[in-house]
């Protein structure tokens, strides 16, 4: 039983990272109906840039710089990859361009930081804390707190500020938002900046727990896809629940079945959710007007 | 105030509007009438930038606005209450109204007294005041229409475009909507009105244009069109 | 296929067959074998990417499934080549179904996401299931032994060539058949496709499974070609390479995938040799510059449009000299190539060439197979006609409520449509007429209430199954298959008359020929009925608005409906056309087809309807004969807006 609780606890930290990345998918999907297939690479770049910076400054000073870098990277992806495809209304277009930008980013990262995984210095003590016989790393607590804090901050921004409301309005009805004087293409660029920033933040949060390297983003980005679909592409609560489900499913599978199979529950859950409730567990299905 | 010259517009290859010209003088209510598919809504969309006109010239207050994106046109002072209402369903009534004033709240347009205008809109539509915290998507059709009109008014616009404000409303509500349009007119708001109930529209309008297959076929003071036998037969009689 | 095309095909095959005698070097032979194998996969991938318009990021994994299926069948079950290959085709097809059935239920980027995940999982599974696959160690397989003779590399080239020709032949037949037409229709207008009984979901899955089967064929051939397979071959990079090949070669062509296969097989060779890369990149930069000057001088493009691609190609050429090795930057170059192709060559190389030919020699290009049937008056109607004598209601809608958020588009609407009548549905804009239409045809699922059609409850059924029950419709904002000809549009409506299977299609059996001919005669007759016989081979999007509406009626009649829903058929018609329309509706009724008519032209409604229902703000406010309706106070009030 203790082992199980331990697995659940580790699963929660992992799940919150997935949730955070999946949250990033939702941000862009809401405003433009597009997703960044290179979200994992945005995370990887965030972590690697953070790693370089942390050699020159403290972890806490590095954080805002990485966030700014992430936002900038998101703007590049949107301008180069997504905007032209939105103009021509080509789904094929944005899927292909975000993927090609992703492989370019990965390749560039390999050439700058090399092919090997590098450990990331932890800002918090690496000694696990003990609660009733359960081991929890301080960094795991920070992952959960940090992820929740960022999502909450975005949510408050959306509810309280007029700019945030403009973002919500754009996701509701892009044409009508334009009529209100809202520059909707700016809103979409902004949502990409925010989305990549979220991923970069997830990168520096997760890096001390795992290793940093050019390939670290691929499977994280992919799992977050599963989480976004499981929870529902339009539900904020959904990604948290979806993330937790997948995180716990993976740690338990890894322990009880085999570590080699720990990536499998993601796809199985994904196919299961799509078969039973395609809009996701918490997603609302949208009625298309004809 | 608003001038349209030689406007052509359409969707893809299909041209819907062929060479439309008309103007909306300051302080007046101008109405566009015509049967389904004549191009009324397309005209509105082309003016407010929801649709890029293929050619032609549109000026608002002397400023050329044809081809600008809709957000720039809104900043220039043109509010459009679109066909089908298009309220932001996951935002509250108050948030919807505040978004109507987005350019004023974000330095795109002179700010003025936003809170005061909000109070005035609530005064004009007491039903909205009762539901100010409710999500717009949960409102009834009539309430959503009032919200769409109120939201457009929040821009403090130089010209207000109303597209089919009576669409899908019960007769009592239709009456209410026209009472409000009359009220706005008496406050001196310049309006361009598209309406399927031609009789009611001609009642409130100063001047009217009849659209037929994407062209203006007849125009004149509303009073005159009301008594024009051809217009009467085609658009005013209900079940002829 | 025209004669000149046949000659070209025979010549191409002859050249391909002679290639090993020019390049007898085993390395070249092997490259050509791989090109052939990739081409088979890409031809299949094009069905999904080009025709159906979905993105699959899992074709490398399906290729892997095919490879390992053949490998395992050969190594563990000692199956001979000729059983292992079909076996792996079936297994890969099943994997394709497993992915497509859930992922295609919703439109959007779901298939791309699911197939991407599938790619990773397959690699893990191959690595982990070592009892079957030997895990990371890989499987060794020998080339087949036929009649005691061990097939050599060159002989295997001919095996692959035969498979490629067979693939081309089969795919060409499928895409030219009613199946291919269904794929194009669902891509062009999903809603119309569903309402013609061509289930968008069903045919998307069909297309994906077909495509997976070809990936299986390619994979199994690859196993025997390499004689050793290991998990790392089937990675994400390969998927990207496949997609690059399809879009670069040119979607929706047979030549494009083959060209694409040549490019992506040669590409790694180019990219391993820095000098060759430098030469080629300079070549590309020069070509782009020449084209840019040409396009600028002839004013086809502005300087602004040309600046970026020109700068990019020059940067590519310059970067060739900055790098000392190129393998490290391979993926960056792939990525840049995809970006370039997506933006500047969206139709691929073949599409680009086709565009040039179209400009100078338009008569060389036939976008559509011309159909020369003339049609007559006997073949307009389905045999036998519907019985006009039957009494009672064909359709009953009870207490239909349709709610969108707080908005009640329909509240407690009851409709009873008597057999053999024309039933008018009128009301001001936004009163719920079109919503009623969409509820009756299954596009909206009503919030509550039930619909009984022909004694069967159809509430909540899918649009395609409702169409199958015999309800056809037209659309207020025309929903034709724009890129198809008029007669092809009608043939989509006749999809249900094609009862033959894909096997019949491939072998062009007498049954297939018979049904095809019958459908074409029927389609031509229907066009004649609506007065479009002269425009049969014209693309639907080029027809004038009024004719498009008539074409929609012909297409809807092709479904052999017992109930026909016409949504504003008179909009955009001139006065004489409207008279003809009235006569047409009358004829439709006389053949036992019940009609529901939404119309704003009151003269149409009043002259033809047996009964009229008036809706206002989502409620039924009146019902009766046209005369009763005209004198009803409530109706007059609704139309005048109470003013």
């Amino acid at each position: 039983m203790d082992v199980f609780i331990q697995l659940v606890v580790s699963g929660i930290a992992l799940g919150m990272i997935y949730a955070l990345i999946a949250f990033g998918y939702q941000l862009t999907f809401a405003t433009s109906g597009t997703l960044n297939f290179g979200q994992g690479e945005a995370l990887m770049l965030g972590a690697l840039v953070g790693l370089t910076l942390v050699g020159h400054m403290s972890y806490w000073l590095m954080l805002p710089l990485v966030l700014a870098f992430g936002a900038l990277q998101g703007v590049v992806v949107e301008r180069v990859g997504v905007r032209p495809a939105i103009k021509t209304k080509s789904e094929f277009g944005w899927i292909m361009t975000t993927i090609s930008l992703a492989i370019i980013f990965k390749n560039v990262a390999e050439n700058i930081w090399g092919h090997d995984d590098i450990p990331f210095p932890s800002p918090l003590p690496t000694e696990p804390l003990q609660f009733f016989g359960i081991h929890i790393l301080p960094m795991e607590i920070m992952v959960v707190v940090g992820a929740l804090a960022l999502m909450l901050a975005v949510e408050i921004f959306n509810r309280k500020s007029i700019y945030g409301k403009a973002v919500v309005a754009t996701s509701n009805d892009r044409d009508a938002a334009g009529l209100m004087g809202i520059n909707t293409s700016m809103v979409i660029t902004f949502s990409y900046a925010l989305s990549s920033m979220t991923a970069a933040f997830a990168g520096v949060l997760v890096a001390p727990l795992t290793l940093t390297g050019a390939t670290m983003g691929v499977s994280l980005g992919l799992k977050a896809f599963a989480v976004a679909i499981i929870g529902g592409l339009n539900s904020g609560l959904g990604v948290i629940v979806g993330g937790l489900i997948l995180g716990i499913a993976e740690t338990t599978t890894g322990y009880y079945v085999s570590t080699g199979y720990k990536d499998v529950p993601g796809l199985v859950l994904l196919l299961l959710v799509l078969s039973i409730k395609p809009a996701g567990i918490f997603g609302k299905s949208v009625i298309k007007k004809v | 105030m608003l001038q349209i010259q030689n406007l052509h517009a359409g969707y893809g290859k299909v041209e819907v509007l062929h060479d439309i010209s008309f103007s909306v003088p300051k302080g007046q209510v101008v109405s566009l009438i015509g049967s389904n598919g004549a191009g009324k809504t397309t005209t509105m969309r082309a003016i407010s930038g929801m649709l890029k006109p293929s050619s032609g010239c549109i000026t608002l207050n002397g400023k050329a606005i044809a081809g600008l994106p809709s957000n720039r046109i809104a900043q220039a002072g043109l509010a459009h209450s679109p066909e089908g209402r298009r309220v932001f369903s996951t935002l509250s009534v108050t948030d919807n109204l505040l978004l109507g004033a987005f350019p004023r709240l974000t330095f795109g347009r002179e700010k003025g007294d936003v809170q005061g205008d909000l109070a005035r809109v609530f005064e004009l539509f007491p039903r909205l005041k009762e539901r100010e915290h409710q999500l717009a998507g949960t409102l009834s059709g009539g309430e959503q229409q009032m919200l769409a009109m109120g939201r457009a008014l929040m821009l403090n616009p130089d010209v207000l475009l109303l597209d089919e404000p009576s669409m899908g409303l019960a007769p009592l509500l239709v009456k209410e909507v026209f009472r409000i349009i009359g009220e706005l007119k008496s406050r001196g708001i310049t309006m361009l009105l598209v309406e399927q109930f031609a009789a009611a529209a001609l009642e409130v309008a100063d001047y009217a244009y009849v659209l037929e297959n994407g062209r203006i076929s007849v125009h004149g003071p509303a009073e005159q069109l009301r008594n024009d036998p051809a217009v009467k037969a085609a658009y005013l009689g209900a079940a002829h | 296929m025209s004669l000149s095309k046949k000659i070209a095909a025979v010549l191409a095959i002859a050249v391909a067959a002679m290639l090993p005698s020019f390049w007898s070097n085993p390395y070249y032979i092997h490259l050509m074998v791989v090109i052939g194998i990739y081409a088979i996969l890409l031809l299949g991938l094009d069905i999904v990417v080009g025709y159906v318009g979905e993105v699959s990021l899992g074709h490398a994994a399906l290729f892997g499934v095919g490879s390992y299926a053949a490998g395992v069948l050969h190594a563990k079950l000692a199956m001979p080549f000729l059983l292992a290959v079909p076996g792996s085709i079936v297994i890969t097809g099943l994997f394709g179904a497993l992915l497509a059935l859930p992922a295609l239920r919703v439109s959007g980027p779901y298939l791309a996401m699911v197939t991407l995940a599938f790619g990773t999982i397959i690699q893990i599974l191959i690595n982990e299931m070592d009892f079957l696959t030997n895990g990371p160690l890989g499987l060794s397989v020998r080339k087949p032994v036929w009649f005691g003779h061990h097939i050599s590399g060159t002989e295997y080239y001919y095996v692959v060539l035969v498979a490629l020709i067979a693939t081309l032949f089969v795919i060409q037949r499928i895409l030219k058949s009613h199946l291919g037409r269904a794929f194009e229709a669902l891509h062009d207008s999903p809603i119309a496709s569903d309402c013609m009984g061509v289930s968008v979901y069903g045919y998307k899955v069909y297309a994906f499974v077909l495509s997976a089967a070809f990936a299986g064929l390619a994979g199994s051939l690859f196993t025997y070609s390499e004689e050793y397979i290991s998990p790392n071959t089937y990675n994400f990079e390969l998927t990207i390479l496949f997609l690059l090949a399809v879009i670069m070669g040119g979607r929706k062509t047979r030549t494009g995938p083959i060209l694409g296969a040549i490019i992506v097989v040669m590409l790694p060779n180019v990219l391993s040799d820095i000098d060759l890369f430098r030469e080629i990149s300079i070549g590309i930069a020069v070509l782009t510059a020449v084209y840019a000057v040409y396009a600028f001088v002839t004013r086809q493009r502005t300087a602004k449009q040309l600046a970026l691609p020109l700068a990019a190609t020059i940067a590519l050429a310059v970067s060739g000299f900055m790098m000392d090795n190129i393998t490290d930057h391979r993926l960056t170059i792939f990525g840049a190539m995809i970006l370039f192709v997506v933006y500047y060559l969206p139709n691929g190389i073949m599409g680009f060439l086709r565009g040039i030919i179209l400009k100078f020699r338009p008569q060389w290009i036939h976008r559509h197979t011309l159909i020369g049937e003339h049609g007559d008056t006997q073949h307009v109607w389905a045999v036998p006609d519907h019985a006009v004598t039957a009494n009672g209601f064909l359709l009953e809608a009870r207490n239909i409520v349709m709610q969108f958020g707080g908005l009640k588009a329909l509240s407690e609407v009851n409709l009873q449509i008597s057999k053999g009548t024309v039933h008018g549905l009128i009301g001001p804009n936004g009163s719920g007429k079109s919503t009623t239409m969409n509820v009756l045809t299954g596009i909206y699922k009503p919030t509550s209430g039930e619909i009984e059609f022909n004694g069967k409850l159809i509430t909540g059924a899918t649009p395609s199954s409702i169409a199958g029950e015999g309800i056809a419709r037209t659309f207020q904002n025309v929903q034709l298959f724009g890129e198809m000809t008029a007669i092809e549009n009608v043939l989509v409506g006749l999809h249900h008359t094609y009862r033959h299977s894909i096997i019949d299609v491939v072998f062009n059996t007498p049954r297939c020929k018979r049904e095809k001919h019958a459908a074409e005669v029927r389609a031509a007759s229907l066009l004649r009925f609506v007065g479009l016989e002269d425009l049969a081979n014209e693309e639907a999007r080029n027809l004038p608005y009024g004719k498009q509406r008539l074409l929609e009626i012909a297409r809807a009649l092709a479904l052999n409906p017992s109930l026909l829903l016409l949504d504003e058929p008179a909009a955009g018609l001139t006065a004489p056309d409207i008279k003809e329309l009235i006569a047409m509706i009358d004829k439709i009724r006389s053949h036992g087809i019940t009609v529901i008519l939404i119309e704003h032209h009151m003269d149409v409604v009043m002259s033809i309807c047996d009964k009229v229902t008036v809706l206002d703000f989502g409620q039924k406010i009146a019902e009766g004969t046209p005369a009763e309706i005209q004198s009803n106070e409530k109706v007059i009030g609704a139309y005048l807006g109470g003013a």
Side-chain angles (χ1 to χ4, degrees), chain C residues 211-235:
Chain C
S211 172
F214 284 108
L217 171 62
S220 57
L221 291 174
F222 189 69
T223 301
Y224 288 97
S225 146
E226 304 304 296
E227 301 197 309
Y228 167 74
I229 49 176
S230 68
N232 290 338
T233 316
Y234 313 99
N235 55 16

mmCIF file of all heavy atoms in Angstrom, chain C residues 211-235:
data_model
loop_
_atom_site.group_PDB
_atom_site.id
_atom_site.type_symbol
_atom_site.label_atom_id
_atom_site.label_comp_id
_atom_site.label_asym_id
_atom_site.label_seq_id
_atom_site.Cartn_x
_atom_site.Cartn_y
_atom_site.Cartn_z
ATOM 1 N N SER C 211 -4.909 2.813 -46.886
ATOM 2 C CA SER C 211 -3.584 3.398 -46.877
ATOM 3 C C SER C 211 -2.647 2.579 -45.992
ATOM 4 O O SER C 211 -1.491 2.313 -46.345
ATOM 5 C CB SER C 211 -3.726 4.831 -46.377
ATOM 6 O OG SER C 211 -2.501 5.401 -46.165
ATOM 7 N N ALA C 212 -3.160 2.129 -44.850
ATOM 8 C CA ALA C 212 -2.360 1.297 -43.950
ATOM 9 C C ALA C 212 -2.005 -0.017 -44.634
ATOM 10 O O ALA C 212 -0.881 -0.512 -44.495
ATOM 11 C CB ALA C 212 -3.125 1.040 -42.658
ATOM 12 N N ALA C 213 -2.945 -0.567 -45.391
ATOM 13 C CA ALA C 213 -2.673 -1.838 -46.068
ATOM 14 C C ALA C 213 -1.508 -1.688 -47.041
ATOM 15 O O ALA C 213 -0.628 -2.555 -47.108
ATOM 16 C CB ALA C 213 -3.926 -2.312 -46.794
ATOM 17 N N PHE C 214 -1.473 -0.578 -47.770
ATOM 18 C CA PHE C 214 -0.345 -0.369 -48.677
ATOM 19 C C PHE C 214 0.952 -0.168 -47.905
ATOM 20 O O PHE C 214 2.018 -0.605 -48.347
ATOM 21 C CB PHE C 214 -0.616 0.807 -49.619
ATOM 22 C CG PHE C 214 -1.578 0.450 -50.710
ATOM 23 C CD1 PHE C 214 -2.875 0.938 -50.709
ATOM 24 C CD2 PHE C 214 -1.195 -0.407 -51.723
ATOM 25 C CE1 PHE C 214 -3.769 0.588 -51.704
ATOM 26 C CE2 PHE C 214 -2.088 -0.765 -52.730
ATOM 27 C CZ PHE C 214 -3.368 -0.272 -52.714
ATOM 28 N N ALA C 215 0.858 0.492 -46.740
ATOM 29 C CA ALA C 215 2.049 0.617 -45.900
ATOM 30 C C ALA C 215 2.518 -0.772 -45.473
ATOM 31 O O ALA C 215 3.720 -1.038 -45.384
ATOM 32 C CB ALA C 215 1.748 1.483 -44.678
ATOM 33 N N GLY C 216 1.559 -1.667 -45.229
ATOM 34 C CA GLY C 216 1.899 -3.040 -44.860
ATOM 35 C C GLY C 216 2.614 -3.754 -45.999
ATOM 36 O O GLY C 216 3.634 -4.427 -45.783
ATOM 37 N N LEU C 217 2.100 -3.575 -47.207
ATOM 38 C CA LEU C 217 2.755 -4.176 -48.376
ATOM 39 C C LEU C 217 4.185 -3.658 -48.486
ATOM 40 O O LEU C 217 5.141 -4.431 -48.626
ATOM 41 C CB LEU C 217 1.958 -3.842 -49.644
ATOM 42 C CG LEU C 217 2.611 -4.203 -50.972
ATOM 43 C CD1 LEU C 217 2.837 -5.708 -51.079
ATOM 44 C CD2 LEU C 217 1.766 -3.734 -52.161
ATOM 45 N N ALA C 218 4.326 -2.338 -48.399
ATOM 46 C CA ALA C 218 5.651 -1.739 -48.520
ATOM 47 C C ALA C 218 6.567 -2.266 -47.422
ATOM 48 O O ALA C 218 7.719 -2.642 -47.675
ATOM 49 C CB ALA C 218 5.543 -0.220 -48.453
ATOM 50 N N GLY C 219 6.045 -2.334 -46.198
ATOM 51 C CA GLY C 219 6.852 -2.795 -45.066
ATOM 52 C C GLY C 219 7.332 -4.219 -45.270
ATOM 53 O O GLY C 219 8.511 -4.530 -45.038
ATOM 54 N N SER C 220 6.433 -5.093 -45.721
ATOM 55 C CA SER C 220 6.844 -6.489 -45.858
ATOM 56 C C SER C 220 7.881 -6.635 -46.972
ATOM 57 O O SER C 220 8.839 -7.403 -46.844
ATOM 58 C CB SER C 220 5.627 -7.376 -46.102
ATOM 59 O OG SER C 220 4.933 -6.931 -47.233
ATOM 60 N N LEU C 221 7.714 -5.879 -48.059
ATOM 61 C CA LEU C 221 8.719 -5.933 -49.120
ATOM 62 C C LEU C 221 10.073 -5.442 -48.604
ATOM 63 O O LEU C 221 11.123 -5.963 -48.973
ATOM 64 C CB LEU C 221 8.272 -5.079 -50.315
ATOM 65 C CG LEU C 221 7.076 -5.601 -51.105
ATOM 66 C CD1 LEU C 221 6.658 -4.577 -52.149
ATOM 67 C CD2 LEU C 221 7.411 -6.938 -51.768
ATOM 68 N N PHE C 222 10.003 -4.435 -47.725
ATOM 69 C CA PHE C 222 11.225 -3.852 -47.165
ATOM 70 C C PHE C 222 11.984 -4.895 -46.341
ATOM 71 O O PHE C 222 13.209 -4.992 -46.415
ATOM 72 C CB PHE C 222 10.831 -2.656 -46.304
ATOM 73 C CG PHE C 222 11.980 -1.823 -45.819
ATOM 74 C CD1 PHE C 222 12.724 -1.052 -46.701
ATOM 75 C CD2 PHE C 222 12.317 -1.792 -44.473
ATOM 76 C CE1 PHE C 222 13.775 -0.271 -46.251
ATOM 77 C CE2 PHE C 222 13.375 -1.014 -44.015
ATOM 78 C CZ PHE C 222 14.100 -0.253 -44.910
ATOM 79 N N THR C 223 11.228 -5.688 -45.566
ATOM 80 C CA THR C 223 11.845 -6.725 -44.751
ATOM 81 C C THR C 223 12.712 -7.650 -45.608
ATOM 82 O O THR C 223 13.863 -7.932 -45.276
ATOM 83 C CB THR C 223 10.750 -7.555 -44.056
ATOM 84 O OG1 THR C 223 9.979 -6.675 -43.263
ATOM 85 C CG2 THR C 223 11.347 -8.637 -43.180
ATOM 86 N N TYR C 224 12.131 -8.107 -46.723
ATOM 87 C CA TYR C 224 12.880 -9.050 -47.567
ATOM 88 C C TYR C 224 13.997 -8.351 -48.328
ATOM 89 O O TYR C 224 14.981 -8.976 -48.705
ATOM 90 C CB TYR C 224 11.935 -9.741 -48.547
ATOM 91 C CG TYR C 224 11.042 -10.736 -47.864
ATOM 92 C CD1 TYR C 224 9.744 -10.403 -47.492
ATOM 93 C CD2 TYR C 224 11.508 -12.010 -47.560
ATOM 94 C CE1 TYR C 224 8.933 -11.311 -46.848
ATOM 95 C CE2 TYR C 224 10.709 -12.930 -46.910
ATOM 96 C CZ TYR C 224 9.417 -12.576 -46.568
ATOM 97 O OH TYR C 224 8.627 -13.478 -45.925
ATOM 98 N N SER C 225 13.837 -7.077 -48.560
ATOM 99 C CA SER C 225 14.881 -6.352 -49.266
ATOM 100 C C SER C 225 16.100 -6.159 -48.362
ATOM 101 O O SER C 225 17.233 -6.377 -48.780
ATOM 102 C CB SER C 225 14.338 -5.007 -49.745
ATOM 103 O OG SER C 225 15.339 -4.027 -49.714
ATOM 104 N N GLU C 226 15.843 -5.788 -47.096
ATOM 105 C CA GLU C 226 16.972 -5.496 -46.203
ATOM 106 C C GLU C 226 17.570 -6.770 -45.613
ATOM 107 O O GLU C 226 18.727 -6.792 -45.237
ATOM 108 C CB GLU C 226 16.515 -4.574 -45.068
ATOM 109 C CG GLU C 226 15.876 -3.279 -45.521
ATOM 110 C CD GLU C 226 16.767 -2.474 -46.442
ATOM 111 O OE1 GLU C 226 17.835 -2.038 -45.975
ATOM 112 O OE2 GLU C 226 16.411 -2.311 -47.626
ATOM 113 N N GLU C 227 16.731 -7.784 -45.474
ATOM 114 C CA GLU C 227 17.092 -9.058 -44.849
ATOM 115 C C GLU C 227 17.441 -8.914 -43.369
ATOM 116 O O GLU C 227 17.822 -9.865 -42.712
ATOM 117 C CB GLU C 227 18.225 -9.758 -45.615
ATOM 118 C CG GLU C 227 17.821 -10.033 -47.055
ATOM 119 C CD GLU C 227 18.699 -11.051 -47.748
ATOM 120 O OE1 GLU C 227 19.922 -10.869 -47.695
ATOM 121 O OE2 GLU C 227 18.148 -12.012 -48.307
ATOM 122 N N TYR C 228 17.348 -7.703 -42.850
ATOM 123 C CA TYR C 228 17.545 -7.510 -41.407
ATOM 124 C C TYR C 228 16.745 -6.279 -40.998
ATOM 125 O O TYR C 228 16.844 -5.222 -41.643
ATOM 126 C CB TYR C 228 19.019 -7.309 -41.078
ATOM 127 C CG TYR C 228 19.233 -6.790 -39.669
ATOM 128 C CD1 TYR C 228 19.057 -7.635 -38.570
ATOM 129 C CD2 TYR C 228 19.566 -5.459 -39.436
ATOM 130 C CE1 TYR C 228 19.223 -7.171 -37.284
ATOM 131 C CE2 TYR C 228 19.728 -4.989 -38.146
ATOM 132 C CZ TYR C 228 19.561 -5.851 -37.071
ATOM 133 O OH TYR C 228 19.699 -5.378 -35.808
ATOM 134 N N ILE C 229 15.907 -6.397 -39.969
ATOM 135 C CA ILE C 229 15.135 -5.231 -39.537
ATOM 136 C C ILE C 229 15.358 -4.990 -38.055
ATOM 137 O O ILE C 229 15.501 -5.930 -37.274
ATOM 138 C CB ILE C 229 13.624 -5.392 -39.819
ATOM 139 C CG1 ILE C 229 13.120 -6.751 -39.321
ATOM 140 C CG2 ILE C 229 13.330 -5.195 -41.284
ATOM 141 C CD1 ILE C 229 11.638 -6.945 -39.471
ATOM 142 N N SER C 230 15.395 -3.705 -37.685
ATOM 143 C CA SER C 230 15.542 -3.362 -36.269
ATOM 144 C C SER C 230 14.647 -2.163 -35.969
ATOM 145 O O SER C 230 14.268 -1.414 -36.877
ATOM 146 C CB SER C 230 16.997 -3.032 -35.966
ATOM 147 O OG SER C 230 17.343 -1.840 -36.615
ATOM 148 N N PRO C 231 14.274 -1.987 -34.706
ATOM 149 C CA PRO C 231 13.226 -1.006 -34.356
ATOM 150 C C PRO C 231 13.556 0.432 -34.756
ATOM 151 O O PRO C 231 12.663 1.198 -35.090
ATOM 152 C CB PRO C 231 13.119 -1.110 -32.840
ATOM 153 C CG PRO C 231 13.819 -2.336 -32.441
ATOM 154 C CD PRO C 231 14.747 -2.730 -33.528
ATOM 155 N N ASN C 232 14.834 0.788 -34.753
ATOM 156 C CA ASN C 232 15.160 2.207 -34.910
ATOM 157 C C ASN C 232 14.901 2.765 -36.299
ATOM 158 O O ASN C 232 14.903 3.972 -36.495
ATOM 159 C CB ASN C 232 16.624 2.447 -34.541
ATOM 160 C CG ASN C 232 16.818 2.275 -33.069
ATOM 161 O OD1 ASN C 232 15.852 2.385 -32.300
ATOM 162 N ND2 ASN C 232 18.029 1.965 -32.647
ATOM 163 N N THR C 233 14.678 1.877 -37.269
ATOM 164 C CA THR C 233 14.428 2.357 -38.628
ATOM 165 C C THR C 233 13.136 3.164 -38.693
ATOM 166 O O THR C 233 13.037 4.140 -39.430
ATOM 167 C CB THR C 233 14.280 1.149 -39.569
ATOM 168 O OG1 THR C 233 15.303 0.218 -39.244
ATOM 169 C CG2 THR C 233 14.376 1.573 -41.012
ATOM 170 N N TYR C 234 12.154 2.719 -37.896
ATOM 171 C CA TYR C 234 10.793 3.244 -38.097
ATOM 172 C C TYR C 234 10.511 4.411 -37.162
ATOM 173 O O TYR C 234 9.600 4.387 -36.355
ATOM 174 C CB TYR C 234 9.784 2.104 -37.900
ATOM 175 C CG TYR C 234 10.221 0.887 -38.661
ATOM 176 C CD1 TYR C 234 10.882 -0.161 -38.036
ATOM 177 C CD2 TYR C 234 10.023 0.827 -40.044
ATOM 178 C CE1 TYR C 234 11.331 -1.248 -38.752
ATOM 179 C CE2 TYR C 234 10.473 -0.250 -40.770
ATOM 180 C CZ TYR C 234 11.128 -1.290 -40.123
ATOM 181 O OH TYR C 234 11.570 -2.356 -40.847
ATOM 182 N N ASN C 235 11.322 5.430 -37.267
ATOM 183 C CA ASN C 235 11.224 6.526 -36.294
ATOM 184 C C ASN C 235 10.475 7.729 -36.872
ATOM 185 O O ASN C 235 10.020 7.728 -38.013
ATOM 186 C CB ASN C 235 12.626 6.924 -35.834
ATOM 187 C CG ASN C 235 13.514 7.274 -37.019
ATOM 188 O OD1 ASN C 235 13.014 7.496 -38.127
ATOM 189 N ND2 ASN C 235 14.802 7.313 -36.806
#
